[in-house]
Amino acid sequence: MKRILFPAVGLMNRLNYLQKFALIGLLCFLPVGLAVQLLISDIDREIVFARKEIQGIRYTNHIRQFLEKLQRHRGEVNAYLLGDTSFSEQIIRTENDIRQAVESIDRVNDELGNGLQIGDRWTEIKEQWSTLLEEDYPNNVPNNRSQRSLLSGISFKKHSDIVANVLHLMGHIRDTSGLKLDPGQDTYYMMDSITSKLPTIAERLGQVRGTGAGIASVGFITAEEKTRLIVLSGMIRTDLADLDMEANKKLAGSSNLEELHPRLQSFVDSTHTFLRLLDRRIVQSEQIAIVPAELFRIGTDALEEAYLLNDLESPLLHTMLTERISELQQRKLWIVGLSILSVAMVLYIFIAFYYSVIHVVFVLKRTALRIIGGDLTARVALDTKDELYHVGTAFNKMVEAFGHTLEESKRQTERIEYLAFYDSLTDLPNRTFFQQKLLMALDEAERQRMKAAVLFIDLDHFKNINDTLGHDAGDQLLRIISERIKQSVDGKAVVSRMGGDEFLLLLPGLEEPHYAGRTAQKIIEALSASMEISGHHIVVSASIGISIFPDDGKESAELIKRADTALYYAKSHGRNKYQFFNQSMNESTLERLQFMYDLRKALEENELCLYYQPRLEAASSRIVGLEALIRWMPAGAGRVRMPKDFIPLAEETGLIIPLGEWVLRTACKQYKEWERQGVPPLRISVNISVVQFGRDEFVELIRQILEETAMPPDKLELELTESMVMRSEEDVIRKLKQLKELGVYLSIDDFGTGYSSFTYLKHFPIDALKIDRSFIQDVPNGVRDTAITKTIIALGRRLGLKVVAEGVETKEQLAFLTSRKCDEVQGYLLSRPLPVEGIERLLLGGKQGD
């Protein structure tokens, strides 16, 4: 065996891997390529064969026109020469028709003659016809009856000779164009019929028609003529029987040829009718009792049926051959496509195989070079299970034995360094490590003329966690917070725990200060996501102060102090935000106090009002509800202040309590006023602040307002946020159940933007979900927002909750939501928020469907 393989092994040992795979690929692809080439060549030959058949059918169709006119001319001349002069004008018309047929064949012959190897056959037929025309019928006709009879026989023979040559030409076309060899049963039948059987039957019919018309012109029949007619009639009947039997056999079950049956039957019937008439009136009759023109007409009808059958078969055959060519070309494309795909797949496998082998070799080489350079931690990592895998395993074990002692020493060193510079609870650098890094970063920033930022981070209300859940839960929370802060910054940043719930963050090498603000916002968003601690879902927030080197100071202690100052400024202005240090913070405090005064004044002097935005039922486009939205119109200001300008401040200062009560009471009073005016009953929704909802007397306030205004409870909708209902689960469930006992309609506003668990949908008595506008704005083009919106709608439908889409601003959004069976929609596409007068005109004007 080794001797047999020795030449091949020797060759392989002298080639690199690329050459080896190239040689193997060549040996594999060569026979495949030859096989595909042979298949394509066979298909090309079949296509050429079918195209040549089409040429033959085309030539035969033109020859058929000439043959029909020539047979008509033979019969007309024969009848005329034997005494019926009524055929004179018909002879002239037929000669003109023959002249046009000759011209048509000449054109086709110029185009296809060489391809079908016609040679001089058509020229000989034209010369015969020209010689026949020189007889000059009907002008050059003798008066003597016997001479006319003799001339009739000569003319009939000359015509028949031309017809015989035409039939011979058609047979030649059939042979050279491949019609005789066509493999299809249905197509072969039509080819045989068009080129062989029908022309033969037509010629015999033409002879019978011409002979019979001549006999009818003379008025008597000779024994020779009678014998000839009987023989021809018998041959025609035999041919008809064969044709009919073959048709019934070959056409059975062929959907392509079903339409030939009626025409074939018509041809057979008309031919038998003509033969019976000929037999009764001429052959068997003692006295000829038929006008030549009538006999000629009936015979012509039979002939025309034959040619009509031919004309029906020819285009059908042409169509079938064209379809065959199309099918062959399609098969050729499939073979080429599959061949290309197969070659591509084999090539892909070859390349992958080559890469897997070379990859293993290179991995071994790189690992060996790293170990030679002193890196004893290097290991061979192979994803293969062949023989090289065992080599790599043994190699790793050898290196591991040498590196074990060094690794143990390194771990001890790292442990000592860790205890000196890291916080044991969070694994973050401690204050000492941070200050060292800060000093280094400030020196580098000064040399590079760049900036650096110090962020002081403090958790909001962290003491409540320790007081309610215990210090173990607090420690667990701090570890989660540490991980989230680290994941929110890049690798250059330094995150340190100062102690308790305070963290310091260093951002070195900044080009612009606003990057520090973006980082702070990422941290706030990361910390605001819900987390599970000791079986409780907790949402925390953080306040962040930011100082910039060298704008806010050049010393590390000064930067930390000013970041701390900015931190407490952020806490005093609502928490859960970041604040850059600036020298004008005192001035900002005064402005904030003035703003609070103005808001209190607005409550006292009726500078507040409610706008209402319609909410439509998507399926019917009917207004089913209104959302009450507060507006502040300061006296003399000339502009309207939107809720985002004062609601956060009102929540921070506690003014949201009287403000929210005013909105609830005003909305309920307005409902009763519209009820008095005859406005259809609509649900009015009011947004509830987290501060409002958190008060113990909130449910009692709702009860009191409903009683004072006589507002139907089910027409009042309270919109709550996800973060609101997740703060204290037991308290939230208790309040929500109390509100449902009052009959109030409850919905979750801005659904999908929170980070809480969806389990509250199962436990809380919620009636509706409002999809936040941030998901709607990119529907239906945004892939993710579209998927989220579909999911929320499906979730609401499964839970039996109404789903409302906010922020609908385009027709495409509305069409998408309607198609997904979203229950209700609202947005600027439907209507902007309107004051009381505007919404009354809309409702009382009967335009709820607009």
Side-chain angles (χ1 to χ4, degrees):
M1 187 66 179
K2 291 182 179 179
R3 292 181 180 179
I4 297 175
L5 294 176
F6 181 77
V9 172
L11 175 63
M12 288 297 173
N13 288 338
R14 286 168 175 78
L15 300 177
N16 59 35
Y17 276 111
L18 182 61
Q19 293 169 335
K20 292 175 183 178
F21 280 96
L23 177 60
I24 295 172
L26 179 63
L27 295 176
C28 290
F29 291 138
L30 186 60
V32 174
L34 291 175
V36 172
Q37 178 62 33
L38 290 175
L39 284 174
I40 294 177
S41 298
D42 289 342
I43 293 175
D44 287 338
R45 282 195 295 271
E46 290 188 46
I47 292 175
V48 172
F49 190 88
R51 286 174 176 167
K52 201 164 185 180
E53 288 180 307
I54 292 177
Q55 293 179 357
I57 291 300
R58 181 180 172 193
Y59 204 115
T60 302
N61 286 340
H62 288 277
I63 291 291
R64 201 254 340 136
Q65 299 290 335
F66 174 75
L67 179 62
E68 178 186 3
K69 306 303 180 184
L70 184 63
Q71 290 171 332
R72 179 187 290 271
H73 187 265
R74 178 178 61 188
E76 292 170 346
V77 168
N78 192 54
Y80 181 86
L81 290 176
L82 293 177
D84 192 338
T85 59
S86 64
F87 285 91
S88 176
E89 294 182 359
Q90 295 184 29
I91 292 173
I92 296 173
R93 286 196 299 269
T94 302
E95 288 178 352
N96 289 331
D97 291 342
I98 292 175
R99 187 178 299 108
Q100 294 177 5
V102 169
E103 293 174 355
S104 175
I105 295 173
D106 283 338
R107 289 193 295 270
V108 177
N109 187 64
D110 292 338
E111 181 181 350
L112 306 178
N114 292 333
L116 297 176
Q117 304 173 16
I118 300 301
D120 297 329
R121 290 178 174 81
W122 171 239
T123 303
E124 181 183 348
I125 292 172
K126 288 198 298 182
E127 291 175 353
Q128 287 180 301
W129 170 247
S130 299
T131 302
L132 185 64
L133 284 179
E134 292 175 358
E135 301 294 338
D136 194 20
Y137 303 122
N139 297 325
N140 185 20
V141 177
N143 294 325
N144 186 282
R145 182 180 182 89
S146 61
Q147 291 180 343
R148 289 166 66 97
S149 177
L150 178 63
L151 192 60
S152 169
I154 295 173
S155 172
F156 197 95
K157 183 178 183 307
K158 289 182 178 180
H159 278 87
S160 298
D161 290 342
I162 298 176
V163 170
N165 283 336
V166 171
L167 293 176
H168 184 266
L169 175 60
M170 293 179 71
H172 174 77
I173 293 171
R174 175 192 62 196
D175 296 339
T176 57
S177 65
L179 298 176
K180 188 176 182 180
L181 304 175
D182 185 83
Q185 177 175 317
D186 46 3
T187 53
Y188 175 77
Y189 165 75
M190 285 189 288
M191 291 174 185
D192 187 51
S193 174
I194 293 171
T195 61
S196 178
K197 289 187 169 53
L198 277 178
T200 301
I201 296 174
E203 166 55 12
R204 288 168 179 165
L205 271 174
Q207 291 185 25
V208 171
R209 180 188 63 180
T211 302
I215 294 171
S217 299
V218 175
F220 67 91
I221 182 172
T222 65
E224 180 183 356
E225 290 174 334
K226 179 179 291 189
T227 302
R228 183 182 180 194
L229 289 178
I230 292 173
V231 171
L232 287 174
S233 298
M235 294 173 68
I236 292 172
R237 287 188 175 93
T238 300
D239 290 341
L240 285 179
D242 292 342
L243 184 66
D244 193 27
M245 180 179 65
E246 186 175 359
N248 291 330
K249 177 182 178 182
K250 292 187 177 181
L251 301 188
S254 176
S255 58
N256 293 326
L257 306 179
E258 289 181 354
E259 55 186 294
L260 294 179
H261 282 285
R263 180 55 62 191
L264 176 62
Q265 190 61 46
S266 177
F267 164 58
V268 172
D269 293 343
S270 61
T271 302
H272 281 303
T273 299
F274 171 66
L275 294 178
R276 285 194 296 271
L277 176 68
L278 181 73
D279 187 62
R280 188 173 61 254
R281 296 287 185 90
I282 293 181
V283 176
Q284 303 297 332
S285 176
E286 296 180 357
Q287 183 177 2
I288 305 302
I290 187 170
V291 179
E294 182 182 359
L295 179 66
F296 193 89
R297 178 185 61 78
I298 296 173
T300 299
D301 290 343
L303 268 171
E304 286 180 349
E305 287 293 332
Y307 288 120
L308 285 175
L309 178 60
N310 180 285
D311 292 343
L312 181 61
E313 288 179 330
S314 290
L316 184 58
L317 177 58
H318 185 279
T319 300
M320 294 171 68
L321 290 173
T322 303
E323 291 175 352
R324 181 185 298 172
I325 292 173
S326 177
E327 181 183 350
L328 290 170
Q329 291 173 335
Q330 188 69 27
R331 190 189 309 168
K332 179 180 176 181
L333 289 176
W334 271 105
I335 292 175
V336 172
L338 290 175
S339 301
I340 293 174
L341 180 61
S342 300
V343 170
M345 291 183 65
V346 173
L347 187 60
Y348 174 78
I349 297 299
F350 260 70
I351 294 174
F353 185 28
Y354 170 77
Y355 175 78
S356 68
V357 173
I358 292 299
H359 173 69
V360 171
V361 174
F362 284 163
V363 167
L364 290 170
K365 178 181 177 181
R366 285 195 300 266
T367 307
L369 291 175
R370 287 175 59 191
I371 294 172
I372 292 172
D375 183 9
L376 296 180
T377 62
R379 297 291 185 273
V380 175
L382 299 178
D383 53 1
T384 179
K385 295 300 181 183
D386 57 15
E387 291 78 1
L388 289 176
Y389 171 78
H390 302 292
V391 175
T393 302
F395 188 88
N396 288 339
K397 289 181 179 180
M398 179 186 67
V399 176
E400 186 177 353
F402 287 104
H404 180 73
T405 302
L406 182 62
E407 185 67 27
E408 183 64 27
S409 176
K410 184 178 179 180
R411 282 198 296 269
Q412 292 297 332
T413 303
E414 291 175 348
R415 179 63 180 169
I416 294 171
E417 183 180 350
Y418 173 81
L419 293 175
F421 295 104
Y422 286 86
D423 175 56
S424 60
L425 175 64
T426 61
D427 289 333
L428 292 177
N430 58 20
R431 187 184 187 99
T432 302
F433 185 92
F434 181 83
Q435 289 186 338
Q436 291 180 5
K437 290 291 185 180
L438 178 58
L439 289 173
M440 295 169 58
L442 296 183
D443 290 342
E444 182 68 19
E446 187 172 6
R447 286 196 305 269
Q448 299 293 333
R449 297 178 181 271
M450 299 185 73
K451 298 180 182 296
V454 175
L455 281 67
F456 207 125
I457 306 170
D458 184 77
L459 302 182
D460 297 330
H461 307 297
F462 179 72
K463 183 177 181 298
N464 294 338
I465 303 296
N466 284 332
D467 293 344
T468 56
L469 300 180
H471 289 279
D472 290 340
D475 291 345
Q476 186 180 353
L477 176 63
L478 288 174
R479 283 191 287 268
I480 297 174
I481 295 298
S482 301
E483 287 298 321
R484 292 190 178 182
I485 294 176
K486 287 194 295 184
Q487 293 171 5
S488 302
V489 298
D490 58 31
K492 296 180 180 180
V494 179
V495 183
S496 170
R497 182 187 176 208
M498 297 295 293
D501 61 340
E502 295 179 338
F503 299 85
L504 278 175
L505 173 63
L506 168 62
L507 299 177
L510 297 182
E511 294 182 358
E512 296 294 338
H514 63 78
Y515 177 79
R518 292 203 301 269
T519 302
Q521 185 59 40
K522 286 175 61 179
I523 294 173
I524 290 172
E525 291 174 356
L527 298 184
S528 64
S530 174
M531 60 195 78
E532 186 174 349
I533 305 293
S534 300
H536 298 274
H537 291 281
I538 297 175
V539 177
V540 299
S541 62
S543 301
I544 303 176
I546 307 173
S547 62
I548 304 296
F549 171 86
D551 302 344
D552 301 328
K554 296 186 177 181
E555 301 296 330
S556 61
E558 184 179 14
L559 289 170
I560 294 174
K561 179 180 178 181
R562 292 193 170 179
D564 191 16
T565 301
L567 166 66
Y568 281 99
Y569 187 87
K571 282 185 172 291
S572 64
H573 284 72
R575 302 177 185 270
N576 196 29
K577 63 173 62 176
Y578 67 88
Q579 175 65 53
F580 282 93
F581 175 82
N582 61 74
Q583 298 295 339
S584 61
M585 285 185 174
N586 291 333
E587 296 176 4
S588 299
T589 301
L590 293 175
E591 292 177 0
R592 182 168 173 271
L593 292 173
Q594 181 63 43
F595 195 85
M596 292 168 57
Y597 171 78
D598 292 340
L599 186 55
R600 287 192 182 94
K601 181 181 176 183
L603 272 169
E604 297 170 357
E605 297 183 3
N606 295 324
E607 293 180 356
L608 302 172
C609 67
L610 290 183
Y611 276 45
Y612 297 89
Q613 186 175 32
R615 204 159 80 191
L616 272 67
E617 187 179 63
S620 64
S621 297
R622 180 173 57 89
I623 297 176
V624 294
L626 303 170
E627 181 175 1
L629 303 169
I630 191 170
R631 298 291 186 268
W632 183 6
M633 298 182 178
R639 68 181 184 88
V640 178
R641 285 187 174 178
M642 304 303 288
K644 64 183 178 64
D645 298 330
F646 58 92
I647 291 298
L649 180 62
E651 289 183 331
E652 179 184 343
T653 60
L655 288 175
I656 193 65
I657 302 303
L659 194 64
E661 182 177 347
W662 178 87
V663 171
L664 282 166
R665 185 171 275 105
T666 303
C668 291
K669 287 181 178 179
Q670 185 62 58
Y671 177 91
K672 295 302 294 183
E673 176 61 22
W674 282 333
E675 186 181 63
R676 186 186 62 80
Q677 297 177 19
V679 174
L682 301 173
R683 185 181 296 115
I684 296 181
S685 62
V686 178
N687 291 283
I688 301 301
S689 165
V690 63
V691 179
Q692 286 178 276
F693 189 80
R695 292 174 64 87
D696 295 335
E697 60 271 24
F698 177 73
V699 177
E700 185 58 33
L701 175 64
I702 298 297
R703 186 195 313 274
Q704 180 182 345
I705 292 175
L706 291 174
E707 291 176 357
E708 288 177 4
T709 60
M711 169 83 166
D714 62 329
K715 297 303 179 183
L716 175 61
E717 178 178 349
L718 302 182
E719 296 189 9
L720 313 173
T721 62
E722 284 186 278
S723 58
M724 183 188 306
V725 298
M726 288 305 299
R727 286 184 175 267
S728 178
E729 189 170 316
E730 293 80 10
D731 184 56
V732 168
I733 293 177
R734 177 180 56 81
K735 287 183 179 179
L736 292 178
K737 288 183 177 180
Q738 290 174 351
L739 290 171
K740 288 306 297 180
E741 289 173 359
L742 293 178
V744 175
Y745 194 87
L746 300 177
S747 64
I748 301 297
D749 194 17
D750 300 336
F751 183 78
T753 59
Y755 299 90
S756 57
S757 170
F758 285 165
T759 55
Y760 70 88
L761 294 178
K762 179 171 62 174
H763 299 296
F764 295 173
I766 303 300
D767 297 299
L769 304 177
K770 295 191 73 174
I771 305 175
D772 186 71
R773 66 182 67 249
S774 63
F775 299 124
I776 300 300
Q777 62 185 3
D778 287 333
V779 168
N781 298 318
V783 176
R784 293 186 177 180
D785 287 346
T786 301
I788 291 172
T789 303
K790 289 180 180 178
T791 302
I792 294 175
I793 294 173
L795 177 64
R797 192 158 54 242
R798 286 290 183 89
L799 297 177
L801 303 177
K802 292 281 187 180
V803 180
V804 182
E806 296 180 299
V808 179
E809 298 181 356
T810 67
K811 293 181 179 179
E812 291 78 8
Q813 293 169 353
L814 179 59
F816 168 81
L817 293 167
T818 303
S819 68
R820 302 306 300 182
K821 293 185 172 37
C822 181
D823 298 294
E824 300 175 14
V825 293
Q826 74 180 84
Y828 280 13
L829 175 67
L830 311 172
S831 173
R832 291 175 175 270
L834 301 174
V836 173
E837 298 80 10
I839 204 69
E840 285 179 354
R841 284 195 299 271
L842 177 64
L843 298 177
L844 294 175
K847 296 183 180 292
Q848 293 93 323
D850 284 355

